[in-house]
């Protein structure tokens, strides 16, 4: 069984589409990635959706994103080969799991994808976790364990818009998987570049601007006093907390250069990760780094400087899985777990109060054939379940 994961994250820079072959265990199931950048107008609309958004505007953006995802899915299948289902993360436009009541919302019409491709779509993964008392994020850590668990404990860091870290126990170690959001990944740096360039640039390529500046250690300590950094896990965050409004406020009182501002924001991401790892994990000898931040040389060096006790490694070069593919692959895997009816225990990750099956299934034209294929999976044939009536088909 092969799944196509579609991921667009808080950086709002585009869609990553990656294929996972579930017949091959772990990293060996990776079959390729295709990345599509958002058109500038769509990216602007997505970023604006972090502010006030009416129902009609949200519904229109939902359809526009759905059309974009559908085009990406079709092209990914053309490039990477046929798949049996699609797993859609969607675009997060609100994430407030500690509200009254807590909620998280990802949009991007799954129905448009199912109609355009004829494939079954698994989507809306996060809200089930929130309903079970969890943060709704991070959801990728069980896939980290599936791919990267080793004889010794290991850390896996994802540097997307936000930063989240996973601590993996060594093989045979009875201690549980731990994971949580550390705070900002690239989001504040990207916002600062956009602000300081008047919209002419959207990121600090290779960390060159930050490398040309000097960190203001006094400001850094002030910023590290943010309440989120002091909050114990389980915890998650988003643009509501770390976004352009915060960067604009900090920049308005800044008296140094733009390069120094970028250097200090880069140090903020690195130092917040390092302090979180020391405070809330047992630590490990090595840390694999994925996501766009892994390509930022200034940030990678800042991480190594802040975590001298840990070897900081570029995850893509170490594992063979490109950084832009990892989260899309993770959602392909999460989609398979939903289709197989597998509950995930995320108590030490999101704080969910009991194991849950994550995701909703939207049947496509291939649903009857997919049901037959699912009925033949070892996970289904070994137990009573919803597909048992199809075993003789």
């Amino acid at each position: 069984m092969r799944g196509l994961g579609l991921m667009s994250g808080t950086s709002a820079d585009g869609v990553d589409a990656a294929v996972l072959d579930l017949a091959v265990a772990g990293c060996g199931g990776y079959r390729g990635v295709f990345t599509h950048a958002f058109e500038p107008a769509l990216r602007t609309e997505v970023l604006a959706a972090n502010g006030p958004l009416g129902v009609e505007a949200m519904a229109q953006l939902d359809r526009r994103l759905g059309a974009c995802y559908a085009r990406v899915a079709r092209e990914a299948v053309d490039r990477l080969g046929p798949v049996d289902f699609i797993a859609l993360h969607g675009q997060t436009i609100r994430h407030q799991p500690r509200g009254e009541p807590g909620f998280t919302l990802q949009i991007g019409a799954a129905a448009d994808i199912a109609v355009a491709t004829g494939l079954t779509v698994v989507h809306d993964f996060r809200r089930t976790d929130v309903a079970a008392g969890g943060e709704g994020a991070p959801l990728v850590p069980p896939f980290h364990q599936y791919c990267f668990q080793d004889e010794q404990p290991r850390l896996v860091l994802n540097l997307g818009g936000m930063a989240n870290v996973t601590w993996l126990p060594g093989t045979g170690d009875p201690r549980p998987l731990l994971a949580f959001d550390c705070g900002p990944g690239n989001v504040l740096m990207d916002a600062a570049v956009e602000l300081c360039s008047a919209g002419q640039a959207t990121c600090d390529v290779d960390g060159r601007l930050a490398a040309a500046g000097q960190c203001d250690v006094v400001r850094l300590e002030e910023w590290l006093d943010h309440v989120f950094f002091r909050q114990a896990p389980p915890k998650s965050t988003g643009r509501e907390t770390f976004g352009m409004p915060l960067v604009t406020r900090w920049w308005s009182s800044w008296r140094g250069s733009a390069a120094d501002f970028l250097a200090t924001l880069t140090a903020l991401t690195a130092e917040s990760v390092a302090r979180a790892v020391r405070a809330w994990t047992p630590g490990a000898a090595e840390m694999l780094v994925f996501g766009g931040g892994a390509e930022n040389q200034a940030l990678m060096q800042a991480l190594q400087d802040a975590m001298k006790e840990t070897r900081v490694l570029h995850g893509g070069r170490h594992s063979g899985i490109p950084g832009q593919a990892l989260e899309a692959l993770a959602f392909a895997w999460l989609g398979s777990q939903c289709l197989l009816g597998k509950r995930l225990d995320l108590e030490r990750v999101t704080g969910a109060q009991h194991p849950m099956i994550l995701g909703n299934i939207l049947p496509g034209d291939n649903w009857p054939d997919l049901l037959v294929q699912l009925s033949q999976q070892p996970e289904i044939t070994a137990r009573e379940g919803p597909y048992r009536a199809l075993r003789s088909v």
Side-chain angles (χ1 to χ4, degrees), residues 13-353:
D13 48 6
V15 187
D16 297 320
V19 172
L20 183 67
D21 186 344
L22 278 305
V24 183
C27 297
Y30 168 62
R31 290 295 177 265
V33 64
F34 166 64
T35 297
H36 173 85
F38 281 149
E39 296 295 331
L42 181 59
R43 182 173 189 270
T44 297
E45 194 173 358
V46 168
L47 291 174
N50 290 284
L53 187 66
V55 173
E56 185 171 342
M58 183 178 71
Q60 291 173 340
L61 179 57
D62 179 59
R63 291 296 309 279
R64 279 192 274 275
L65 283 167
C68 175
Y69 294 145
R71 288 193 299 272
V72 172
R74 288 197 302 266
E75 187 164 355
V77 170
D78 288 343
R79 291 176 178 233
L80 305 176
V83 298
D84 302 295
F85 68 92
I86 294 171
L88 171 69
H89 171 266
Q91 184 67 47
T92 299
I93 60 168
R94 292 289 187 280
H95 185 72
Q96 298 179 19
R98 298 198 176 198
E100 292 293 337
F103 66 92
T104 186
L105 182 61
Q106 291 72 42
I107 64 173
D112 286 338
I113 303 169
V115 169
T117 64
L119 296 170
T120 294
V121 180
V122 187
H123 64 112
D124 199 14
F125 292 90
R126 297 191 186 275
R127 289 199 290 179
T128 303
D129 186 80
V130 172
E135 291 275 328
L139 297 185
V140 174
F143 181 70
H144 290 161
Q145 189 165 32
Y146 174 75
C147 279
F148 303 127
Q149 190 167 36
D150 202 0
E151 292 181 359
Q152 299 300 318
R154 175 181 273 174
L155 292 159
V156 181
L157 176 67
N158 181 63
L159 291 173
M162 303 303 151
N164 55 73
V165 68
T166 301
W167 180 83
L168 300 174
T171 306
D173 189 330
R175 290 178 292 179
L177 166 79
L178 302 172
F180 51 88
D181 280 3
C182 304
N186 305 311
V187 64
L188 299 184
M189 295 179 288
D190 290 351
V193 169
E194 193 161 353
L195 182 66
C196 295
S197 70
Q200 297 303 302
T202 59
C203 68
D204 183 8
V205 178
D206 295 332
R208 294 172 194 162
L209 293 174
Q214 294 291 323
C215 173
D216 183 328
V217 293
V218 174
R219 280 297 185 93
L220 175 61
E221 288 301 325
E222 289 177 6
W223 295 348
L224 283 166
D225 195 44
H226 192 288
V227 63
F228 181 83
F229 298 132
R230 292 182 272 113
Q231 179 183 321
K235 59 178 181 174
S236 61
T237 191
R239 285 182 177 272
E240 298 85 356
T241 302
F242 297 106
M244 183 63 83
L246 181 63
V247 170
T248 301
R249 189 168 79 246
W250 285 350
W251 175 246
S252 68
S253 62
W254 187 260
R255 295 295 175 261
S257 69
D260 291 348
F261 191 54
L262 260 294
T264 309
L265 288 171
T266 301
L268 176 67
T269 290
E271 190 62 34
S272 61
V273 168
R275 293 186 184 190
V277 167
R278 292 191 192 101
W280 294 304
T281 80
E286 68 177 25
M287 180 170 74
L288 304 182
V289 184
F290 291 90
E295 311 307 323
N296 182 325
Q297 295 177 27
L299 178 54
M300 290 291 282
Q301 185 60 55
L303 279 167
Q304 187 62 83
D305 291 343
M307 302 179 69
K308 290 184 170 59
E309 70 281 7
T310 300
R311 192 160 55 121
V312 177
L313 302 171
H314 187 289
R317 298 186 195 120
H318 186 81
S319 70
I321 295 181
Q324 70 268 31
L326 187 65
E327 285 197 291
L329 289 173
F331 278 90
W333 183 81
L334 288 168
S336 74
Q337 303 307 286
C338 177
L339 289 166
L340 293 168
K342 288 190 172 182
R343 293 174 174 83
L344 299 180
D345 185 355
L346 297 175
E347 181 182 2
R348 299 297 297 272
V349 177
T350 66
Q353 295 172 8

